[in-house]
Amino acid sequence: MSSFEDFKLNRQFLNAIEEAGYTQPTPIQEKAIPLAMAGHDLIGIAQTGTGKTASFVLPLLMKLKYAQGKDPRAIILAPTKELVMQISENVEQLSTYTDLRHVALYGGVGPKTQLEKIEEGVDILVATPGRLMDIYSRGGLVLKHVKTMVMDEADRLMDMGFMPQIRSILEVIPSKKRQNLLFSATFPPKVEHLSEEFLEFPERVEVTPQATPVETVKQLIYEVPNFRTKVHLLEHLLQDVERFNRVIVFVNTRTTADNIFKFLERKVEGNARVIHANKGQNSRINAIKEFGEGKIRLLVATDVTARGIDIDQVSHVINFDVPHVYEDYVHRIGRTGRAYNVGEAIAFVNKAEKYYIEGIEELIRMRIPVESMPSEVPVTDTPKQENIDMERLIDKFKRKADPTFKGAFHEKKKKPSSKKVQGKAGGKKRKTKHFGRRMG
Ligand code: AMP
């Protein structure tokens, strides 16, 4: 077991680490910090919650040491505004006892303040790729002194289609003697390609086998027949205020998010907020902040906005819907069990969603235990249309596995070769309609 002293960090960083309450390095920090400090390019496979941010921020700060010149010498790229702000806070915290300057660049607000800050002189930029290129192309930024480049959540950067901007950035920053660090929760082929383009003879460090949920998360499944019963189960679980004290409820669509939020507000103890892409930036930031401070007990979220959110001591992640993108499951449950806290991740699974669970279990290389429904939870009959939607989805899965399979609901007008799971969105929308009628 190593200590932060072993890394030969300057006193001002050790003091900041102590103040942040870190007593010993997490495994990713133990592995990545010495390599990054030695100047290597690095691939870090680590999820949010493992302490990965400090594992690149500390070597970066050590390298830059003190404020110098006017133009940035390091760039940290991240996929979302929320993550940029979070990394920026980490930089702020760990650089407290230095004069290093950093600026966060993200969209959703006018560029004026950001440009002014850059004007004042900056050592580190923490940025979304889009806003960085936007500001650069206005001529407001000199990037020729950049010697360190970090990409955080590279898998998400790829998923969100940032590759063109990343390419442009790589073209305008110096390639000579540049140190590159790439962090990603998972390592799909597209991230591998990016790393080949971006890194030189990288060292690879990995804290858990790829896409394996952090060990501190206890996962379980409830098999729930329909939407209405899911609502009952949610209400039942949340009655335990002590255990379920800080909960994120994940859903797949904005409509469901809004409906569940309204339901929680009316029926469940404690404050609730909802975050999804339709909500204003400020309302999202405030919700996350208040949730982090413990002023809010329940946060309802969709995947887009929740990625990378750094909130400590989330007691439970409830997957009200099973995510259709398997890797989102890993990211969702990464909200709980952060650093050294233990958390629980619960998924509500209907008969169609079981097929997604199979994919998820394959990805995380483990079986998620199924727990029987608490007997107090009223189980309602499945409405006809909801059942048809589920059966249709099941047919799709079966047809995917066996193209000759003819289910009860095969779509006559569609070409038999259409592979996409067409019924998904429709199914979800209908479900929320049931919800709207009954609960609204
Ligand atoms: P990250 O994976 O970077 O999002 O970090 C997850 C959380 O762990 C953040 O709240 C960090 O402040 C915290 N953290 C990072 N390193 C340590 C450490 N060595 N000991 C305790 N907490 C840490």
Side-chain angles (χ1 to χ4, degrees), residues 109 135 298 335 357 365 373:
V109 292
I135 288 194
L298 309 163
R335 311 298 97 204
I357 290 291
R365 296 195 288 256
M373 280 264 279

Side-chain angles (χ1 to χ4, degrees), residues 4 20-26 29 47-54 86 90 93 310 312 338-340:
F4 281 105
Y22 306 173
T23 47
Q24 73 192 54
T26 64
Q29 291 164 358
Q47 291 163 246
T48 302
T50 54
K52 69 180 165 73
T53 315
Q86 220 168 267
N90 230 306
Q93 185 175 39
D310 179 19
D312 278 337
R338 303 171 70 74
Y340 295 112

Side-chain angles (χ1 to χ4, degrees), residues 318-329:
I318 296 180
N319 290 297
F320 188 90
D321 295 320
V322 176
H324 297 179
V325 177
Y326 303 149
E327 282 164 2
D328 280 343
Y329 178 84

